[in-house]
Amino acid sequence: MTKNIRIVLADDHPIFRKGLVEVINTTPGMEVLAEASNGEELIRIVDETQPDIAVLDVNMPGTDGLQAATRILARNGTIKLLMLTMRTDEDVFMEAMDIGVNGYILKENAVSDVINGINAIMNGQTYLSPSISGLLVKKNHKPLEKKNDFLQHLTSTELRIFKLIAESKTSKEISKELFVSEKTIENHRTNICKKLKLKGKNSLLKFALEHRGW
């Protein structure tokens, strides 16, 4: 028998939290183990229940979502984190990605996005709300000055994959679109990172978002 995905949820708005719990618990293969209304409570619950994934709001009283995420990952590097936010703030987005969260969705789309986000994350992907893909993010490294400087690093296939990554498509989605295996896409992603000298979790996704439209 397949195990359910074990989830904890943290949000300081009880009505919103209740709605998400209902959505998750009525989805086959998923169960909410516990709820929290703030970051400190979430950290304690994660320690006690050892869930597969924590879904947490960025803005909570006391210890906020970013602080809680940092502390949770320091204690348990295997847990997956899906961040909720009402704000399309690029600084917050970049900080969340740098911390190492696995997904980032807007609360206005949470009901429709949360299940897709959980499934993608548990399949080893990074998940962003489709509307997040248009978010302008700050550059953490010196940008390539000319379009040709950027293009010459990548083969035509790699460039096509890069553009799909910039649309926040997962490796699974890209593999279906290009009719190749998911492992092949992962290999291309690794090669693209090497060519562009990108290191660290989510670095390719951030770079792709920064250079959308190239």
Side-chain angles (χ1 to χ4, degrees):
M1 175 181 282
T2 303
K3 286 185 176 180
N4 284 344
I5 299 172
R6 303 164 70 250
I7 302 156
V8 295
L9 178 64
D11 192 284
D12 59 324
H13 295 89
I15 296 177
F16 176 80
R17 190 172 69 239
K18 181 180 179 181
L20 279 190
V21 169
E22 184 175 348
V23 169
I24 294 170
N25 279 340
T26 54
T27 300
M30 297 185 185
E31 63 174 323
V32 176
L33 302 176
E35 305 171 44
S37 60
N38 58 67
E40 287 295 336
E41 189 178 4
L42 174 64
I43 293 168
R44 176 181 59 78
I45 288 174
V46 168
D47 284 343
E48 292 174 353
T49 61
Q50 294 295 302
D52 300 307
I53 184 169
V55 180
L56 65 160
D57 189 12
V58 169
N59 296 305
M60 293 186 288
T63 300
D64 65 24
L66 295 173
Q67 294 167 333
T70 301
R71 290 169 58 184
I72 287 170
L73 288 175
R75 294 167 182 245
N76 182 352
T78 63
I79 190 172
K80 308 294 185 181
L81 300 177
L82 178 59
M83 193 74 75
L84 305 170
T85 183
M86 292 185 66
R87 300 159 53 194
T88 56
D89 187 305
E90 60 190 57
D91 290 326
V92 175
F93 171 71
M94 288 298 288
E95 185 174 353
M97 299 300 282
D98 287 338
I99 288 170
V101 303
N102 306 92
Y104 195 86
I105 63 178
L106 293 179
K107 293 180 76 172
E108 65 186 51
N109 303 322
V111 172
S112 58
D113 285 348
V114 69
I115 301 303
N116 289 335
I118 291 171
N119 281 325
I121 288 170
M122 293 308 297
N123 284 323
Q125 306 294 334
T126 299
Y127 184 85
L128 304 181
S129 286
S131 53
I132 288 287
S133 65
L135 181 66
L136 295 176
V137 293
K138 292 181 177 178
K139 296 175 175 56
N140 286 342
H141 39 73
K142 184 178 179 180
L144 296 166
E145 294 180 357
K146 298 179 181 179
K147 185 173 182 179
N148 287 339
D149 291 339
F150 177 64
L151 296 177
Q152 71 183 4
H153 287 76
L154 307 180
T155 66
S156 58
T157 299
E158 289 168 346
L159 183 59
R160 187 176 180 188
I161 291 170
F162 179 87
K163 289 179 178 179
L164 292 171
I165 292 170
E167 295 174 10
S168 301
K169 291 185 181 295
T170 66
S171 292
K172 185 175 183 179
E173 291 171 330
I174 295 172
S175 70
K176 289 181 179 179
E177 186 162 335
L178 300 186
F179 303 103
V180 297
S181 71
E182 192 171 342
K183 181 173 177 55
T184 296
I185 299 300
E186 289 297 333
N187 289 338
H188 279 302
R189 293 177 77 119
T190 299
N191 290 334
I192 292 170
C193 285
K194 288 180 180 178
K195 289 182 177 182
L196 299 181
K197 296 181 171 59
L198 299 174
K199 295 181 180 180
K201 183 177 177 61
N202 297 322
S203 59
L204 177 56
L205 176 60
K206 290 190 292 182
F207 188 90
L209 289 172
E210 290 167 3
H211 295 82
R212 289 183 78 209
W214 278 55

